[in-house]
Amino acid sequence: MNRHPIAVALRALRQTVLGPDARPERPLLARWPGPARYAAPVGLLAALGLFLITLTVESDWGLPPPIALLFAAMTVAPLLALPRRPLLAWRLTVLALLICTFNAPADQAWPWTPPLALGSIAVLAVVVARVDRPVLAWVVTISTVPVLTLVHPDNRVPVLLLLGALAIVGDLIRRNRLSRHALDAQAELSEREQERRAVLEERTRIARELHDVVAHHMSLIAVQAETAPYRLTDVPAPAAAEFVAIAASARDALTDMRRLLGVLRSETSGPQTAPQPDLTDLDTMVDAARRAGLPVTLDADPVDDDRVPAPVGLAAYRIVQEGLANAARHAAGAAVRVTVRAGRTGLGVRVENSPADVRPTADGGTGHGLTGMRERATSLGGTFTAGPLPGGGYAVAAELPYDAEGGDR
């Protein structure tokens, strides 16, 4: 793009005189929706009053009625266009200042009627706060033409000073508005980035935990496959070769998973050596919540380790953990019920709380707990629901299939 000063000035002049009038970013009274409802009728009544005042003044100055009507209309038209088309309103104002002057009395200090003079100042004040600097420079320059050619020499300096003051204040207002919009856009972008990062961190944590669980079972498979020919008697040679192949495949899978885990882990987090929790740890977690003052009731089926896979047990534990944390945060004092049911093809988990006795604290949390629970359920092929209860309170529920095929069914 050509940034030469002359080219910029010519482009701004074309925009000022003939260019399209950009719509304002927000209405003038957008911050006050109550008064904004009455802005249109009040504005029309004010325009009608100015029209009648101008018509009376022009008639007193001896203009024929048709010309007086024309001048009164030219005085009011810029004010009607000002809310949505400020640049067009300024153009109409300049025309009115140049045309509606030849009938002023000789002893009149100003060549314009009071409504036209005050209206032109209002239009200029709005325009200088809406346009960029190159257009602003042309607007102020062109606005001085009626002043220098029609205003009495004794009054020109105050008017020119007023134009300069309006230009400076309008530019400051526009720059302040642009700065606020830039800050709002940056804050919105930062919030979206924070949400995306929280989701990615939760997915990474889930992947790490699944790796730790699956790696344990893969290690057992490799060890059992390697030792099977020594523990069993009269193992045929083909079967022994199959055991060796199974052990090799298991170790290859472990190598790939460790390589994947190296990508997932951050530089500051080391390997997780502690055993991952499962359904057998629900009682311990519920007891800790009770000691913290949260009234919790646990209704869980007996755990069958052969029936419930480790990833399902881990996901169920984390969902209950996050559900209790949300209940403590958003429904302090409410009774909480945790239900865990082991079905034929999957595990059902539900955490619900009664209506809160007190209002929640100002700290509402990060807002990503439900996202993490849903990620855990869907990563196993299950479903997750959350929402308020009809009689008050809140509930989260997840269906975790024992395998992907069962979840699809």
Side-chain angles (χ1 to χ4, degrees):
M1 180 179 292
N2 188 3
R3 293 293 183 181
H4 194 275
I6 296 179
V8 173
L10 292 178
R11 190 182 307 110
L13 177 60
R14 184 169 57 252
Q15 170 69 23
T16 304
V17 178
L18 299 174
D21 196 343
R23 285 181 173 272
E25 298 177 358
R26 59 187 304 179
L28 294 177
L29 298 178
R31 296 182 180 180
W32 302 281
R37 293 180 297 178
Y38 307 100
V42 172
L44 291 177
L45 290 177
L48 179 60
L50 291 177
F51 179 83
L52 296 177
I53 293 174
T54 305
L55 184 61
T56 302
V57 174
E58 297 287 0
S59 299
D60 293 342
W61 286 359
L63 275 182
I67 304 298
L69 287 173
L70 176 61
F71 283 9
M74 294 182 66
T75 301
V76 175
L79 300 177
L80 296 177
L82 182 61
R84 294 185 177 274
R85 304 290 297 276
L87 197 55
L88 175 62
W90 170 79
R91 295 166 185 164
L92 295 176
T93 298
V94 173
L95 290 178
L97 292 175
L98 293 174
I99 295 175
C100 304
T101 57
F102 62 85
N103 63 314
D107 58 348
Q108 181 71 21
W110 297 96
W112 306 297
T113 61
L116 180 57
L118 296 177
S120 62
I121 295 176
V123 170
L124 185 62
V126 174
V127 171
V128 295
R130 295 290 182 88
V131 298
D132 55 11
R133 282 187 172 180
V135 177
L136 172 63
W138 282 112
V139 166
V140 175
T141 302
I142 297 175
S143 298
T144 60
V145 174
V147 177
L148 296 176
T149 57
L150 300 175
V151 175
H152 193 275
D154 296 338
N155 297 328
R156 287 175 184 173
V157 175
V159 176
L160 293 176
L161 291 177
L162 177 61
L163 291 178
L166 288 177
I168 295 174
V169 174
D171 184 62
L172 292 176
I173 293 175
R174 178 178 176 275
R175 293 180 62 184
N176 183 46
R177 186 175 67 252
L178 293 178
S179 299
R180 289 201 311 269
H181 290 170
L183 290 176
D184 293 341
Q186 184 63 34
E188 183 179 358
L189 181 62
S190 300
E191 183 178 357
R192 289 201 302 266
E193 180 64 22
Q194 184 179 4
E195 293 177 355
R196 188 184 68 86
R197 187 179 305 157
V199 172
L200 292 178
E201 290 177 355
E202 182 66 17
R203 290 182 178 180
T204 302
R205 189 165 70 92
I206 294 171
R208 292 172 182 170
E209 293 177 349
L210 288 178
H211 168 272
D212 295 339
V213 173
V214 176
H216 171 71
H217 291 289
M218 294 298 295
S219 299
L220 290 179
I221 292 173
V223 172
Q224 291 175 353
E226 287 182 344
T227 60
Y230 304 98
R231 291 183 288 102
L232 303 176
T233 59
D234 300 331
V235 178
E242 290 185 5
F243 281 124
V244 174
I246 293 173
S249 299
R251 293 195 179 280
D252 290 341
L254 278 174
T255 301
D256 293 337
M257 292 189 66
R258 291 192 182 99
R259 189 177 298 113
L260 175 62
L261 183 64
V263 176
L264 292 176
R265 292 194 189 279
S266 63
E267 297 178 357
T268 58
S269 63
Q272 299 177 358
T273 57
Q276 296 297 329
D278 54 20
L279 294 178
T280 59
D281 300 308
L282 285 180
D283 291 330
T284 304
M285 179 174 57
V286 169
D287 291 339
R290 289 169 181 163
R291 289 194 299 271
L294 187 65
V296 185
T297 302
L298 177 62
D299 182 9
D301 290 340
V303 179
D304 187 353
D305 293 336
D306 296 333
R307 190 177 186 184
V308 180
V312 174
L314 173 63
Y317 180 90
R318 295 301 188 193
I319 290 174
V320 173
Q321 185 181 43
E322 186 64 32
L324 292 178
N326 286 344
R329 183 182 301 114
H330 302 289
V336 183
R337 182 178 182 84
V338 178
T339 306
V340 180
R341 291 285 180 263
R344 184 175 61 86
T345 60
L347 186 71
V349 181
R350 182 180 177 87
V351 181
E352 62 180 63
N353 60 267
S354 61
D357 296 336
V358 296
R359 296 179 63 87
T361 60
D363 181 14
T366 60
H368 302 292
L370 295 179
T371 301
M373 289 188 279
R374 182 174 289 105
E375 290 283 348
R376 291 185 179 276
T378 55
S379 66
L380 298 175
T383 60
F384 176 80
T385 58
L389 298 174
Y394 202 86
V396 296
E399 294 293 333
L400 309 175
Y402 296 144
D403 53 64
E405 295 181 356
D408 293 339
R409 287 196 299 268

